[in-house]
Amino acid sequence: MEENLKIPQHVSIIMDGNGRWATSHGKPRLFGHKEGAESLRACMQFAVEMQIKYLSIFAFSTENWGRPEEEIQGLWSLLLESINKETSYMIENHVRFRVVGNLEELPEYLRIAIHDAEEATAACTGSVLVVMLNYSGKWDIVQAANRFAEENPGKKMEWADMDRYLATAGIPDPDLLIRTSGEERISNYMLWQTAYTEFYFTDCLWPDFRKPEFRLALEAYSRRKRRFGKL
């Protein structure tokens, strides 16, 4: 590991550009998602190599339900295939698998596969792969506030309370957020948790984002000085 490269504890990625990548290659959108799964595999391996403790990915937002049903079902099938394919790798490389989001709306077969993979990797103590699925920042804040109110009637919520009631409780806030495809927004993603996150935007479409592009993001992060509102 390079001495001048600062390694974030938590890197989060908004994986964008699968559809545009597929269109540019004359392929259907689902082909882009399949190629994007290969990028995720490469990035997970790189995170393990670089000893990044947390790698989180924005896999499916609550707004994504507005996409064609065929594409959504294709995404579920692809996710199921990836979980079944990668669980053995995660166990061998001590990667813990976690899924965060409103899972009640997902197909039962997918919820079972997620539960089984989480259980199989629960004892892993290396990197943690966090998949944000059927997730949005606004949903997370609202569900946290509602749960707090139910469990603490009449009590005023403090900042620390919010951290404990968010769906990401126990996961440190991202140090670095990467978004691919040239878009420069966070699209309702971890709104509370990214208050002091460093953002890195790249024109690279997600299916083309592999280890060299990941390293460029880490190099950019290493050149920044994080002040957290201080001098």
Side-chain angles (χ1 to χ4, degrees):
M1 193 180 304
E2 297 88 339
E3 292 183 1
N4 62 343
L5 200 62
K6 293 189 294 187
I7 303 302
Q9 180 184 27
H10 181 181
V11 177
S12 195
I13 304 177
I14 298 177
M15 308 177 297
D16 196 15
N18 290 340
R20 277 168 283 173
W21 186 91
T23 299
S24 69
H25 286 75
K27 302 285 186 178
R29 288 178 58 86
L30 195 58
F31 187 83
H33 293 305
K34 290 180 179 179
E35 195 65 24
E38 294 302 314
S39 289
L40 175 55
R41 190 173 202 272
C43 288
M44 180 174 65
Q45 292 174 347
F46 187 65
V48 171
E49 293 171 13
M50 302 304 292
Q51 298 178 25
I52 295 170
K53 182 61 178 178
Y54 292 87
L55 174 65
S56 60
I57 58 164
F58 200 9
F60 190 89
S61 74
T62 55
E63 291 83 3
N64 287 155
W65 289 106
R67 295 186 177 187
E69 181 65 20
E70 181 181 0
E71 181 176 350
I72 293 173
Q73 294 305 318
L75 286 170
W76 297 157
S77 297
L78 181 59
L79 180 57
L80 178 64
E81 178 183 336
S82 296
I83 291 173
N84 292 334
K85 181 179 177 182
E86 301 299 335
T87 299
S88 59
Y89 168 85
M90 289 189 285
I91 294 172
E92 291 169 8
N93 290 275
H94 313 291
V95 177
R96 184 181 175 190
F97 179 70
R98 287 190 60 182
V99 178
V100 172
N102 186 1
L103 306 188
E104 295 179 359
E105 297 179 348
L106 301 180
E108 182 179 10
Y109 69 85
L110 189 55
R111 296 199 306 270
I112 292 172
I114 289 170
H115 175 268
D116 290 346
E118 288 181 327
E119 287 290 305
T121 63
C124 294
T125 57
S127 297
V128 182
L129 175 64
V130 183
V131 178
M132 313 295 278
L133 193 60
N134 195 24
Y135 176 89
S136 82
K138 291 182 178 180
W139 165 83
D140 200 0
I141 292 170
V142 169
Q143 69 81 30
N146 286 339
R147 286 201 300 124
F148 176 84
E150 291 173 3
E151 297 178 15
N152 303 274
K155 183 181 177 182
K156 181 180 179 181
M157 174 179 272
E158 304 291 344
W159 282 20
D161 295 321
M162 179 65 78
D163 290 333
R164 290 194 297 270
Y165 279 85
L166 289 168
T168 55
I171 300 171
D173 293 343
D175 300 293
L176 173 64
L177 174 63
I178 300 169
R179 180 165 187 156
T180 60
S181 87
E183 303 292 348
E184 298 185 359
R185 59 180 181 274
I186 60 173
S187 298
N188 196 10
Y189 180 55
M190 285 207 276
L191 301 177
W192 179 274
Q193 300 90 330
T194 55
Y196 279 102
T197 298
E198 296 292 328
F199 293 170
Y200 177 84
F201 301 110
T202 173
D203 291 333
C204 181
L205 299 176
W206 175 244
D208 292 325
F209 192 92
R210 303 294 168 96
K211 293 182 181 182
E213 289 73 29
F214 202 159
R215 181 179 293 276
L216 288 176
L218 293 184
E219 290 174 355
Y221 173 81
S222 298
R223 292 191 295 268
R224 300 183 188 181
K225 184 176 180 180
R226 305 184 72 194
R227 298 182 178 85
F228 299 97
K230 304 172 185 177
L231 295 180

